[in-house]
Amino acid sequence: MSLADSARKGGWEVGTCVLPKFMFPEVYSSSGRRESIEKNPSHEACPLSVNSYLSALSTTFTSFTIEHHMKWGPLLNKSREYDFTTVDRMVDWGVENGFTVKGHVLIWHVTSPKFINDLPPAEFSKVVRNHIFTVMRHFRGRVRQWDVVNEALAPDGSMADTIFLRKMGPGYIAQCFRWAHEADPDAFLIYNDNKVEGWGLGSPHSDKAEGFFNLLRDLIEEGAPVHGAGLQGHLVASGTGVRKPPTPKAVANQIRRLSTLNLKVNLSEFDVRTSSLPDHLDPYEVQKEIVRDILSACFSQPNFTGVYFWGVSDAVSWVEDFYGNVDKPLILDSSYSPKPSHQGVLDAMSSPTAPPLPPALHDKSSLLPPPSGWGSSWMQASPPPSPSPSTSETATTSEAYGNSLPDWELEAKTDSG
């Protein structure tokens, strides 16, 4: 039984993100204005063949989202007019072939068009509302779930200082969800963020996860139509400090907490980077353990709907370009063959395991792994605190607090510095 069939049998989504040049390269090559959107050198030519890409997509996944081209900026042509040509073809192919297509993403400050930065607040709000209505009504009936707002939190769990916060105030997230619901009352609406997967790991590890829960609680209390939470899940096996992978227990506890808000949860952009592990460790086996155990904890939770891996295979992952290193973070290798982590997903679906509850759901007791606990054979020790910001870990941690840059941007600065 294929992974996709196993997911359907279990009632879960196992999805990925897709790129048009690997689905329809002849269409992509005629649209030169999108050249700058995909800068990874590995994206210059379709690895193996279109058939390999589409075959892997069909046998491995039940769902997909579109990695870049459905975001606000990429949807506009040079005249600031919406051009749905490429995205329409991708969505239609998905629907015709039995995929669930998730919209990603309506509001994200990183990919918003630059012209909105100069608009006065009243005009800015009108343009944001128009964007939400234009896109959601265009795809109504074909795209039934949406990441409405993405990465609105700073690394310390406070509101990030984005153009949307500055122009519309702290109520902008609730307002965007109301507009989205008005545009398509039947759509399932999700708030999505990163480094929020594990709760109970102690400060600073769980500060953003706490802020994530509090934001969603406040949105629901004020009546905003939020239906789901996306936990991105970009994990680094060798990460330390705030970048240390969360334990399965911590992930399960975050999903359980979100169930108290009547929210469904998906792991929305899952990948596991392993290139920086010590040489004596097998990166494929470490990746399998992380994928299997994290997903086993997730699948055990009744409000968990599924997982989206951030790329079809290692050949087309975003990681190499963005972080400047060669990594293999996905469950299919560069030839689209299953890796051990692919079996890890199957194992997790066949035997989902719920880690035990802490003494109380909102107990702040640490869930960090003990020396002989989960991940002890590969998890790296955090460096001791240092008054000097010379180490990458100290730099990452010190920059995170009071800084509105997204976590991944801070990581990129640290990794490249």
Side-chain angles (χ1 to χ4, degrees):
M1 184 182 296
S2 70
L3 180 54
D5 287 339
S6 296
R8 293 186 185 98
K9 182 179 178 181
W12 296 297
E13 293 179 350
V14 174
T16 186
C17 65
V18 295
L19 293 164
K21 69 188 304 179
F22 304 133
M23 298 176 73
F24 316 112
E26 77 285 357
V27 173
Y28 183 89
S29 63
S30 68
S31 183
R33 66 183 178 79
R34 301 195 188 277
E35 191 75 28
S36 63
I37 297 171
E38 296 162 7
K39 297 180 290 184
N40 191 326
S42 68
H43 293 176
E44 288 305 311
C46 181
L48 299 183
S49 69
V50 171
N51 287 340
S52 299
Y53 187 88
L54 296 181
S55 176
L57 184 60
S58 297
T59 59
T60 311
F61 305 105
T62 66
S63 317
F64 68 74
T65 191
I66 296 171
E67 185 170 346
H68 293 298
H69 296 69
M70 197 177 268
K71 295 167 183 172
W72 191 349
L75 277 175
L76 302 182
N77 62 24
K78 292 180 179 179
S79 300
R80 300 179 184 173
E81 298 170 333
Y82 287 89
D83 179 357
F84 294 107
T85 305
T86 299
V87 178
D88 273 337
R89 186 168 181 185
M90 299 172 77
V91 171
D92 289 344
W93 183 92
V95 172
E96 290 167 3
N97 286 276
F99 286 84
T100 298
V101 181
K102 180 172 71 169
H104 179 80
V105 57
L106 294 169
I107 300 299
W108 187 32
H109 58 284
V110 175
T111 53
S112 298
K114 293 181 179 180
F115 79 87
I116 69 172
N117 295 347
D118 300 323
L119 298 175
E123 183 65 21
F124 183 94
S125 295
K126 290 179 181 179
V127 170
V128 170
R129 181 184 184 277
N130 178 70
H131 170 65
I132 291 172
F133 270 73
T134 299
V135 175
M136 290 194 70
R137 288 192 167 171
H138 180 84
F139 291 106
R140 186 172 180 176
R142 294 183 292 163
V143 177
R144 302 178 185 275
Q145 51 182 306
W146 284 91
D147 291 332
V148 177
V149 179
N150 188 49
E151 297 181 3
L153 294 176
D156 62 359
S158 64
M159 293 287 288
D161 182 21
T162 70
I163 187 65
F164 296 99
L165 180 67
R166 293 193 294 272
K167 296 285 188 177
M168 296 176 63
Y172 83 88
I173 300 175
Q175 184 61 69
C176 288
F177 274 91
R178 292 189 185 99
W179 285 333
H181 183 64
E182 186 180 351
D184 184 355
D186 297 323
F188 186 86
L189 306 180
I190 302 166
Y191 174 72
N192 191 56
D193 217 318
N194 68 337
K195 295 291 191 299
V196 297
E197 300 83 13
W199 178 83
L201 295 170
S203 183
H205 304 80
S206 286
D207 288 356
K208 190 172 183 183
E210 185 75 15
F212 181 76
F213 177 86
N214 292 339
L215 170 64
L216 287 164
R217 180 200 59 205
D218 293 346
L219 288 169
I220 289 169
E221 286 180 352
E222 64 180 276
V226 184
H227 309 131
L231 317 178
Q232 288 185 13
H234 294 295
L235 304 185
V236 183
S238 61
T240 59
V242 295
R243 300 168 69 183
K244 186 186 290 287
T247 64
K249 181 186 288 188
V251 175
N253 285 339
Q254 181 72 323
I255 297 172
R256 287 175 180 138
R257 295 183 81 211
L258 293 165
S259 73
T260 67
L261 304 177
N262 294 316
L263 291 172
K264 301 294 186 182
V265 178
N266 74 98
L267 201 59
S268 59
E269 303 181 21
F270 197 28
D271 50 26
V272 181
R273 291 152 57 193
T274 59
S275 63
S276 297
L277 287 169
D279 291 341
H280 70 278
L281 295 172
D282 182 340
Y284 277 15
E285 290 302 318
V286 172
Q287 185 183 70
K288 177 183 178 180
E289 179 181 333
I290 294 173
V291 168
R292 180 196 63 215
D293 294 351
I294 293 291
L295 287 183
S296 181
C298 291
F299 288 136
S300 72
Q301 302 305 305
N303 62 319
F304 184 74
T305 60
V307 56
Y308 282 74
F309 291 91
W310 209 241
V312 173
S313 83
D314 289 337
V316 294
S317 169
W318 67 291
V319 168
E320 181 178 347
D321 176 58
F322 192 85
Y323 288 104
N325 61 359
V326 178
D327 215 313
K328 300 175 180 179
L330 298 167
I331 62 173
L332 301 180
D333 67 19
S334 296
S335 298
Y336 298 101
S337 298
K339 294 161 58 179
S341 54
H342 178 279
Q343 183 61 46
V345 183
L346 290 168
D347 293 346
M349 288 192 290
S350 64
S351 301
T353 302
L357 283 165
L361 188 58
H362 296 275
D363 183 13
K364 290 186 178 292
S365 59
S366 175
L367 297 174
L368 288 169
S372 60
W374 183 78
S376 59
S377 65
W378 50 264
M379 194 172 286
Q380 305 300 295
S382 295
S386 168
S388 169
S390 58
T391 68
S392 62
E393 175 56 37
T394 305
T396 302
T397 303
S398 64
E399 284 191 83
Y401 290 86
N403 196 318
S404 62
L405 288 176
D407 311 76
W408 50 266
E409 193 167 337
L410 287 170
E411 284 187 11
K413 285 178 59 181
T414 303
D415 289 351
S416 63

